[in-house]
Amino acid sequence: MKDALLSRVRAATAGLLSVGAGLAVGQVVAALRDPATSPVLAVGSAVIDRTPTPLKDWAIRQFGTNDKLVLLSSVTVAVLVVAIVSGLAARHRVGVGGAIQVAMLAVAGWAVLDRPFARYPDLIPTVAAGITSLLVLLALLWLDHQPTVRRLVRRGPVALGASGASRRDFVVASGVTATAAVVGFGGARRLTNSRSGVDVQIPTAAEPAAPLPRGLDRSVQGVTPLRTPNAKFYRVDTELTVPTLDASRWSLQIDGDVENPYEIDYSELLRQPLVERNITITCVSNEVGGGYAGGATWRGVLTKDLLSRARVVEPDRPDLQVLSTSFNGFTISTPLGALTDDRGAMLAIAMNDAPLPRTHGFPARLITPGLYGMLGCTKWVTRLTVTTYADKKAYWTERGWTTKGEIKPTARIDVPRSFASVQSGRVLIGGTAWAQRRGVVRVQVSIDDGRWHDATMGPDVNVDYWRQWFYAWNSTDKGTHNVRARVIYGDHEVQTAKRAGVFPSGSSGIEERSFVVR
């Protein structure tokens, strides 16, 4: 009984380590070629594309920007469980164990080729992973003297009776395999990270943005900075690894219902008249009070100039959209008018006085003031196609999200944090508010469902940029209190109190949080 149990444990270990080693080799080969062709990432991307929208929303609410890590971890765990099963199956019939691993290889290969613009050479990392896992499985089962492998090969250099030596060999080989897999994953990560830097010089803007004034964050601790640093800017997209596009090979194609389709490369783009704008962008997945919003200084080329050169055939048609395509075929739908009116939508190549980071779309991305990111902020963009909503549907449109997507005005409370404990006396309540395209007029605060009080406002940068605010409350009663905040915007319109979830057109409602006065 004990020997049988140990034999099953060793077989399961052989399956686990063989697939682990194969995945490590696949990661290294993918890092050398294209990280997106990693079999694990390809399967993860396929899962993302086929996950129902409510489940995606739940994942974002629960895990925030760690949702991709949770997904990859789940895929990896599932693969390793199947790997264990393959080892146990191979203990009795090596062909069955091998077939299970080949089936995993086939799923990964399908996921790789299912990506838009995929080519057959993209299968190289997956094939390398599969060959490695099968060879390691056979080698470990051989060292463990599994009869199925012995019968397969018929005779080997080690006698069947030398069980003690074989088990030591198995343990040593297992340790070496595990170490090699860990080193492989670490090396692949280092290779990928080494390509994440951006070494380009961005020309100064012909129309520079006005310098940002001093923000309230310098005097009210905890309030979001007026300008969000690049490293802390929110990231929400469908990519499981940061794309490493080569600017020298990048180009933007503009086509569709235009008289003059053309293509512009990165060097020509840098020679265009550049503009700078201070713009706050927001993700449609941002819950009331959420952190998926950021303000930055963007530099790039106005999209209305790019589209003017292409000469749209019927620019006044209300059903026209610009279908922007990312490097991997991901698409976003933007109303044509939003990219050609006076709001200053741009193809951005710089962010906060630095080249656009790879995590935020290098070499170029769209920035469209007033629209949620899913409708106007395509990262790693390579194509702009003028077409109709009836002819082409974008990624999110196919999943039931809106094609309008104007950002809803909101006031967010940054301090005090939910259920924070504060000292009685003068309590500073502060945060940020935005109402893109309409402008923040003021913010009002209500304590314990009482009357609304005007907050002290921070600098007014422009209608497309958020504003900081704070309210000083003199607390006298100890215990739990609640605070609400709302924004007054545009022509003195009041933020709606009607609650709505993020699907299909963004959340709404008044943020409310509780804190304790001690």
Side-chain angles (χ1 to χ4, degrees):
M1 177 72 83
K2 182 178 179 181
D3 289 342
L5 177 61
L6 289 175
S7 179
R8 285 194 290 270
V9 169
R10 292 194 298 273
T13 301
L16 183 65
L17 291 177
S18 63
V19 171
L23 291 179
V25 169
Q27 288 291 103
V28 171
V29 175
L32 292 170
R33 293 175 50 82
D34 177 2
T37 60
S38 157
V40 174
L41 294 181
V43 172
S45 296
V47 171
I48 285 180
D49 290 343
R50 288 159 179 80
T51 299
T53 296
L55 184 56
K56 286 184 181 179
D57 293 341
W58 176 85
I60 292 175
R61 288 195 305 271
Q62 297 298 317
F63 306 113
T65 54
N66 292 318
D67 59 335
K68 297 181 179 64
L69 177 61
V70 172
L71 171 64
L72 280 177
S73 299
S74 301
V75 171
T76 301
V77 169
V79 168
L80 294 181
V81 168
V82 177
I84 291 174
V85 172
S86 73
L88 292 172
R91 175 172 174 263
H92 297 288
R93 297 186 64 182
V94 68
V96 174
I100 292 174
Q101 294 201 2
V102 169
M104 285 196 295
L105 173 71
V107 170
W110 164 81
V112 169
L113 291 180
D114 188 57
R115 302 174 310 133
F117 308 127
R119 302 171 302 162
Y120 285 109
D122 292 343
L123 287 173
I124 292 176
T126 303
V127 173
I131 293 174
T132 301
S133 63
L134 288 173
L135 291 177
V136 172
L137 177 66
L138 290 174
L140 290 177
L141 292 178
W142 173 274
L143 290 174
D144 192 39
H145 288 170
Q146 292 291 346
T148 54
V149 179
R150 292 295 182 175
R151 286 196 296 270
L152 181 68
V153 188
R154 294 191 177 182
R155 294 188 64 178
V158 182
L160 284 175
S163 59
S166 71
R167 288 177 182 175
R168 286 194 298 271
D169 291 343
F170 177 83
V171 171
V172 171
S174 297
V176 171
T177 302
T179 302
V182 170
V183 171
F185 280 113
R189 184 182 182 88
R190 289 179 66 89
L191 281 171
T192 301
N193 289 342
S194 67
R195 301 168 59 186
S196 63
V198 175
D199 185 19
V200 296
Q201 295 294 323
I202 305 296
T204 57
E207 295 182 30
L212 289 177
R214 180 186 178 93
L216 290 180
D217 51 290
R218 300 192 181 184
S219 55
V220 182
Q221 187 176 3
V223 169
T224 299
L226 188 60
R227 184 165 78 171
T228 310
N230 292 355
K232 294 185 178 181
F233 207 95
Y234 79 91
R235 179 193 168 198
V236 176
D237 52 59
T238 60
E239 295 303 309
L240 294 176
T241 186
V242 178
T244 55
L245 277 64
D246 185 349
S248 65
R249 298 181 180 179
W250 175 91
S251 64
L252 176 72
Q253 183 178 350
I254 300 179
D255 58 11
D257 296 335
V258 297
E259 297 176 2
N260 179 41
Y262 69 97
E263 191 169 355
I264 183 171
D265 63 21
Y266 194 72
S267 60
E268 184 182 356
L269 187 65
L270 295 181
R271 295 193 297 270
Q272 303 302 304
L274 302 182
V275 301
E276 270 188 342
R277 298 287 188 271
N278 295 312
I279 300 170
T280 294
I281 62 173
T282 311
C283 179
V284 73
S285 296
N286 197 44
E287 297 278 0
V288 172
Y292 294 153
T297 303
W298 307 92
R299 188 185 310 167
V301 179
L302 293 175
T303 53
K304 68 177 181 179
D305 292 342
L306 294 170
L307 292 167
S308 175
R309 176 178 167 185
R311 298 197 300 274
V312 177
V313 175
E314 297 180 80
D316 296 328
R317 285 184 57 178
D319 62 337
L320 284 181
Q321 63 165 329
V322 175
L323 191 77
S324 52
T325 305
S326 186
F327 78 104
N328 61 356
F330 174 85
T331 53
I332 275 181
S333 171
T334 309
L336 174 64
L339 297 181
T340 56
D341 61 19
D342 61 355
R343 73 182 65 201
M346 70 171 70
L347 183 71
I349 57 175
M351 178 181 182
N352 291 335
D353 300 321
L356 192 65
R358 292 193 186 277
T359 51
H360 296 295
F362 179 84
R365 69 173 293 173
L366 288 180
I367 295 293
T368 308
L371 295 183
Y372 286 115
M374 72 158 187
L375 288 172
C377 293
T378 315
K379 300 176 184 176
W380 312 289
V381 62
T382 59
R383 187 175 183 179
L384 301 178
T385 302
V386 179
T387 183
T388 65
Y389 289 101
D391 287 342
K392 298 284 186 180
K393 287 190 176 182
Y395 181 92
W396 295 117
T397 308
E398 291 178 335
R399 287 155 177 79
W401 292 82
T402 183
T403 57
K404 304 298 181 184
E406 293 184 354
I407 298 173
K408 297 177 181 178
T410 189
R412 185 179 71 195
I413 303 170
D414 294 336
V415 288
R417 299 292 183 184
S418 292
F419 304 109
S421 179
V422 300
Q423 186 65 42
S424 61
R426 188 171 185 264
V427 178
L428 290 182
I429 301 167
T432 47
W434 54 87
Q436 288 91 326
R437 304 306 301 143
R438 284 158 286 188
V440 173
V441 176
R442 64 182 182 273
V443 169
Q444 294 182 325
V445 175
S446 170
I447 307 294
D448 295 332
D449 299 322
R451 60 184 292 265
W452 292 97
H453 302 274
D454 287 343
T456 300
M457 300 304 298
D460 187 3
V461 177
N462 61 53
V463 295
D464 291 317
Y465 209 74
W466 57 14
R467 291 187 72 178
Q468 301 163 313
W469 58 269
F470 80 93
Y471 177 72
W473 176 55
N474 291 316
S475 62
T476 56
D477 297 331
K478 296 181 181 179
T480 301
H481 297 271
N482 71 287
V483 57
R484 295 180 295 158
R486 68 184 185 186
V487 62
I488 311 299
Y489 62 95
D491 190 19
H492 296 276
E493 299 173 77
V494 180
Q495 175 187 342
T496 180
K498 182 179 180 180
R499 302 290 296 191
V502 298
F503 183 80
S505 58
S507 65
S508 68
I510 305 294
E511 184 184 7
E512 180 175 350
R513 62 174 56 182
S514 299
F515 59 95
V516 178
V517 175
R518 65 181 187 275

